[in-house]
């Protein structure tokens, strides 16, 4: 309720500050019997690790995860899974001076307004490091979904003005390129664009796209807890995301009904849609086609050019931010988007289990 | 949890189908002592009423609200406020034949997949009439917020390709024009555009903008329940909304950090921002400047041209939808967006009341 | 969250005051496909109706329920079921004078302290009439549970010093006797005891017992949401209940481990317990034997003898309560206990559906 | 939702198994600005530590708590407080053989039925060690409540047939005696009784009483979330508690209204009650007098005499439990009851902050 928990039945609670002793997450409500190891989770965490390339912060963060509870003899027990990552590479001295002023584009001012003071070291709780817990939980949700034939694929769609070309789509490139773009040519252009940003002490934004394939029809609740509403909250809760869209999203505002409606057609004896402008969700409920969503990410607020701000004494000042910061958040946020989508979908699937009386009979019938 | 409730402390639960006996909402958690009459609520409901102009359905819906509980001697008592609107103008015969097929762009197919069958009359629970409960509750939230100096203003920003010109901004026009645009010239153009859509048996989409002024800094929880995340869920849960953005939203993906960051400046002894690209929210917490959000609305799926679909027997068929439908959802959804924003904000303000120990002392101190 | 809702997945929200226009309940999360009619619900409501005998208030309350939504062609649709009972027999004049003082044993004082003022007519929201919504929802939960072979039986165990004798147990007597005791002899004694209470302008308390048979093992969550914890909250939330116990309950404090432990034994190839001191719940999870709970109900606070209290002017005064009041709450609360137990159990069963990965495969597997 | 979280606004999530790497709790929603150190928490944990006397298990559990997040410069920041206790003294070999059978009175069987298998080492998640998280969180809730002048005092009221004598009430004895009884004489008798139990390889139950002084009137929600309902759930969720009562509790079933009603009287210009049969709660809302509750605790199920049970092969067997077990749970559960009561009360106080419009003006008014 105080906002560090997400989910109704698959409920995750993240904790930890950028420069505290550790960060972690507790996952309550993970069904029992899922094979799970630290390697499963580490693989996801490694996708958000910095320091992999010249376009990310030179900070070294090992981010080794430990499972403290909820797994026994290699399988989830149904009880809370506690995951922890110990902080090792925090140089608090870099952050000492930001205690006294408010960085533009950051949460320094709003935290002070809300709580009266803040843990200013590295952004404290508002740091991107908070997403460690999300990604660790997302690894578990994704693994469980995969046993049901559901696959999530997130990637960078654009960085600044550079957008992927669907014709060059190459899944492997998502993991290979430093931009997490599924288009190697676009990725090279984006790297050049970022190099230019860095030269001018500036940063860039971009778009992350996530595709969910294999989701059965019928998931999502019809009114406030529509599947698209839940996904929107989950994705918008990621720091730096400023817009979310489903399917054709913003473009639908320009469409006419005749071009936006997806015709239903029979194919191989099953109901399908001839097109998918809706992005796999109708009336808040999955329709069996691929779910498509996009997150618009703002440029990194930590830039190295001079900026105007105020200090705690209420004086106008000019600052230059120091430290180690990514020139773009997008590539490292790709796995965060994928994780939040997986968590939101799994949670909706658990909630939906009791939608029909016949489902109760399937589980409890004699 | 099954999705017909919204809010943690200011909790609304809507119920009712398009063609059932009645629709309504229960508001639990409204603070005591707010002066409230049926007129306060009716004024909001009248803003979503159809039949006002040639661009909306000729259906007549009186939609008279009754307060059944929770108000005593003209003030809210703190206990649940039950509001009901009796259905009077439902012609079920219009909808008989849709029982047997799935309308493109509607929730017919997904409801059947989720629940095994559906109340097909007029869309049942997935009808736009469900928003009556949201708007009735929004009237109360708005009234309470106004006592704290918080004003919400929602309006149509665009219909199809026609967008308002900020230079013509005229608040009164929101209530006067059939498009709910704050720009009379744009509204006329939009009306012409809609007339054209109707002539070709087609429909249009558009964008709704909502501005919240007077919100104190500090509202919203820092991680999953960010104010922008809550607003996104609230807005995306409105049928036909396919994208949500905060502040510069989708545009931030193209910005550089140096243009996107809002400088802090002292003004009249108070911290302000020189610009407001962030749309009034930093790190998920309100920063004291105006909150700005935009909802992208798809074109009405009920169009009168021929469409392809399948029936319950699993046959490809061609249909022509009958009945009375708006050629654009946007104008009638304006007050729904305003309502959901008010509800989400008030709820966040209630949650925030315990953010500091000193707040408990203000309420409980001796 | 403001307390008029109960349940996580089978969520009920009650509304209405004793002397308002109507009272009701919205049930969200009822699975689709359950045959349901107003008669099903009325049968439960009739069990809590007053005026059946000389030991209950001579008020006539017809309490006719109407289904306003959520049922189509005789079956639940999965969407919110809105039930309403219109108030018809309220004589507000009886209650005028209690506006100015605080009745001992009632919530008058605490409502004023919480909300600043109260709807004083007939107790307003704190009236026993609020339980109409609980019982209406309980009828639905019970019906659904019965399709799974789960039966709940609640009855009066004692009134004042008169307790049933297990040897005389007669289920039919629960419905036949004015006391709802399953022992006709005890019931006659209890009636005599109540007649004596009434003669001295006094009232009596008692104990309600509820037995749940046919519940599968495995229901309930292991830590805070233990099945016994959920039942305790559900039962203690009924006005006038001052203690709740499971199985041997208070007596276990006097037992030794050797007499309190229930031995497990094989019977007909199934694990059973030789005794049932635990009342069907071990570690917060149902064990497959009968669930047993007891609610201790205080005497009706509205008595007709003189009482000391204070008025709103802060003066000590002496009052004599008028109106029509039951000399004992117990018989009418029997169906309320049964209803709350049914609701709590069904909710726990819905939550438990996702306890194992294999359950997801049963619902979503191809 | 999966039951390892408690609270709406002051929300705690416990995790960890008896013999896992560690146990802990995340507290989300603790208001900012509360001075807090590990010593504050350790003092509470030490009260539940075993090995202090001959009547508790000779296991040595150091249970040193570490604060991993949420506290900065000695004060709570408003963000999640993560507390961890590393397991050091677990001898898993003692528990190997219980993997194959179901201990009477324990949750072995029900965990297997729910989840398909279980972490059998030392009871896993159903171990009393789970309460470490509750007590750690309770220390924080208690400290915050104390700043508002609210004091909680829990103690052993009885062990088996030995009950304290109110005339001997001595607060210091709660901390001094191995029984946590506030009556040294009764404590000595209880010790003798326990020695006798141990001699016969048996165990004892008892009653824990908790008194809350200084709570303002007006706390608790009127219908389902009554303060007594919340306390009941919180207390009943403690393993081994089989009954909960408020005020005169079970005795009220025998009372007449005239003896059970508490008269209101003016005292020093304030409304008070002449007696307190209600235990400080009327209509689910605190009335300003002391809140009184009692938890009835069953005897330790782990006894050393022979017991009958079944094994996983479905055979009737006879077992003798080994290991180190307390002959009575009551003394170590005293601080758990106090903790859960503190958590439930603080949560209710946070929820109540928005009960009146005027409260919002106190926090947000200009």
């Amino acid at each position: 309720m105080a906002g560090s928990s997400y989910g109704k039945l698959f409920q995750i609670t993240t904790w930890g500050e950028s420069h505290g002793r550790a960060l972690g997450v507790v996952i309550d409500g993970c069904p029992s019997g899922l094979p799970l190891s630290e390697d499963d989770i580490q693989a996801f965490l490694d996708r958000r690790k910095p320091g992999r390339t010249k376009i990310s912060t030179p900070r070294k963060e090992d981010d080794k995860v430990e499972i403290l509870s909820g797994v026994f003899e290699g399988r989830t027990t149904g009880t809370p899974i506690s995951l922890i990552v110990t902080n090792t590479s925090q140089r608090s001295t870099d952050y000492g001076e930001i205690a006294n002023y408010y960085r533009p584009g950051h949460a320094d001012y709003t935290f002070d307004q809300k709580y009266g003071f803040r843990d200013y070291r590295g952004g404290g709780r508002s740091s991107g490091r908070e997403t460690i817990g999300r990604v660790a939980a997302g690894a578990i949700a994704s693994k469980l979904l995969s046993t049901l034939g559901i696959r999530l694929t997130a990637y960078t769609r654009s960085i600044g003005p550079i957008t992927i070309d669907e014709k060059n789509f190459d899944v492997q490139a998502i993991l290979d390129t430093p931009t997490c773009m599924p288009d190697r040519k676009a990725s090279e252009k984006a790297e050049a664009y970022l190099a230019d940003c860095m030269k001018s002490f500036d940063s860039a934004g971009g778009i992350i796209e996530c595709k969910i394939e294999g989701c059965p029809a019928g998931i999502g609740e019809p009114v406030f807890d529509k599947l698209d509403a839940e996904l929107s909250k989950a994705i918008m809760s990621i720091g730096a995301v400023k817009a979310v869209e489903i399917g054709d999203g913003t473009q639908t505002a320009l469409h006419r009904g005749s071009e936006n409606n997806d015709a239903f057609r029979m194919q191989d004896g099953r109901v399908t849609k001839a097109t998918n402008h809706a992005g796999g969700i109708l009336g808040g409920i999955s329709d069996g086609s691929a779910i498509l969503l996009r997150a618009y990410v703002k440029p990194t607020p930590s830039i190295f050019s001079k900026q105007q701000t105020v200090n705690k004494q209420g004086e106008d000042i000019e600052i230059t931010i120091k430290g180690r910061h990514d020139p773009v958040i997008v590539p490292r946020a790709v796995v965060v988007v994928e994780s939040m989508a997986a968590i939101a979908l799994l949670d909706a699937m658990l909630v939906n289990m009791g939608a029909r009386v016949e489902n109760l009979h399937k589980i409890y019938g004699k």
Side-chain angles (χ1 to χ4, degrees), chain A:
Chain A
M1 271 308 149
S4 285
S5 293
Y6 178 85
K8 296 181 190 78
L9 293 175
F10 186 84
Q11 187 167 45
I12 75 170
T13 303
T14 71
W15 56 268
E17 289 91 33
S18 175
H19 285 55
R21 295 196 197 172
L23 299 108
V25 63
V26 181
I27 298 113
D28 193 24
C30 182
S32 69
L34 182 73
L36 189 71
S37 71
E38 286 168 354
D39 288 347
D40 291 321
I41 300 160
Q42 195 63 50
F44 257 60
L45 284 178
D46 288 350
R47 289 172 59 193
R48 74 166 287 292
K49 230 168 41 177
R52 295 191 303 170
T53 66
K54 61 182 183 263
I55 64 161
S56 75
T57 168
R59 277 200 314 273
K60 226 176 147 285
E61 297 172 1
D62 271 336
D63 293 347
K64 281 288 166 216
V65 71
E66 279 180 89
I67 300 176
L68 297 178
S69 68
V71 177
F72 184 60
E73 297 180 343
R75 287 184 298 156
T76 58
T77 59
T79 60
I81 303 168
S82 179
L83 304 176
I84 192 170
V85 166
T86 303
N87 278 326
T88 54
S89 162
Q90 280 55 46
R91 293 192 288 171
S92 288
T93 46
D94 283 358
Y95 295 101
E97 87 178 11
I98 71 169
N100 196 46
Y101 61 73
Y102 301 124
R103 290 169 299 163
H106 279 279
D108 302 339
Y109 174 67
T110 54
F111 265 65
D112 265 16
Q113 288 294 304
K114 184 177 188 74
Y115 297 118
F117 80 119
R118 71 184 191 282
D119 179 345
Y120 50 76
R121 300 165 304 161
R125 181 73 180 143
S126 72
S127 161
R129 285 187 64 72
E130 178 273 328
T131 61
I132 285 175
R134 299 175 185 237
V135 171
I140 299 174
S142 288
K143 186 161 189 195
L144 202 160
L145 290 174
S146 75
T147 73
L148 294 160
I150 301 171
R151 292 171 307 284
L152 293 98
T153 316
Y155 46 84
T156 300
R157 181 179 171 78
S158 73
I159 286 178
I162 316 297
T163 302
I164 59 165
D165 184 338
E166 300 279 355
K167 280 175 287 182
N168 300 334
F169 201 98
D170 171 1
V171 176
Q172 185 56 37
I174 301 169
L175 296 172
D176 292 350
T177 61
T179 59
C180 297
M181 280 175 154
D183 171 347
R184 292 174 201 273
K185 278 189 195 163
S187 183
E188 276 171 35
K189 282 186 214 163
E191 287 176 74
Y193 176 77
L194 289 169
D196 183 65
C197 287
M198 291 172 83
K199 213 180 300 173
S200 50
F201 302 121
D202 216 334
S203 62
I207 305 172
I208 296 168
E209 197 160 65
C210 183
K211 205 186 300 182
I212 308 175
E213 290 160 301
C215 178
I219 309 304
E221 302 304 309
V223 180
F224 297 109
D225 296 352
K226 286 183 165 81
L227 183 55
D228 35 1
E230 295 290 357
L231 287 166
S232 294
K233 176 175 169 179
I235 301 302
M236 194 67 107
S237 76
I238 303 169
V241 173
K242 299 297 285 184
V244 180
E245 66 184 4
I246 304 293
D248 285 0
T250 59
Q251 291 307 305
T252 64
L254 292 166
H255 289 170
R256 292 210 173 190
S258 57
E259 48 184 338
N260 196 62
N261 282 350
D262 300 309
F264 288 107
R265 294 281 86 180
M266 295 306 298
Q267 198 178 353
D268 305 328
R270 304 181 58 176
V271 176
T272 58
K273 284 159 45 196
T275 52
N276 190 14
H277 300 293
I281 300 176
L282 283 170
I285 302 171
S286 65
D287 65 17
S289 36
I291 296 168
L292 288 164
L293 63 87
R294 248 161 262 113
Y296 291 78
V297 181
K298 73 174 185 179
T300 316
S302 289
I303 52 174
F304 300 116
S305 47
K306 279 194 180 160
Q307 294 187 88
Q308 295 189 314
T309 191
V310 304
N311 62 18
K312 286 187 138 188
Q313 290 74 47
E315 298 162 332
D316 286 336
I317 59 170
E318 205 166 55
I319 60 162
T320 307
I321 286 176
K322 299 191 193 87
R324 302 158 295 176
H325 305 287
D326 297 314
V328 66
I329 290 161
V330 171
R332 294 184 61 197
V334 163
V335 69
V336 185
V337 167
E338 191 174 308
S339 293
M340 289 307 300
I343 292 164
L345 177 59
L346 176 55
D347 191 48
M349 290 181 74
L350 287 165
V351 169
N352 179 64
M353 286 180 76
R356 301 180 184 199
V357 170
E358 68 191 70
N359 288 4
L360 278 92
H361 285 262
K362 275 186 199 165
I363 303 293
Y364 296 120
K366 270 115 202 191

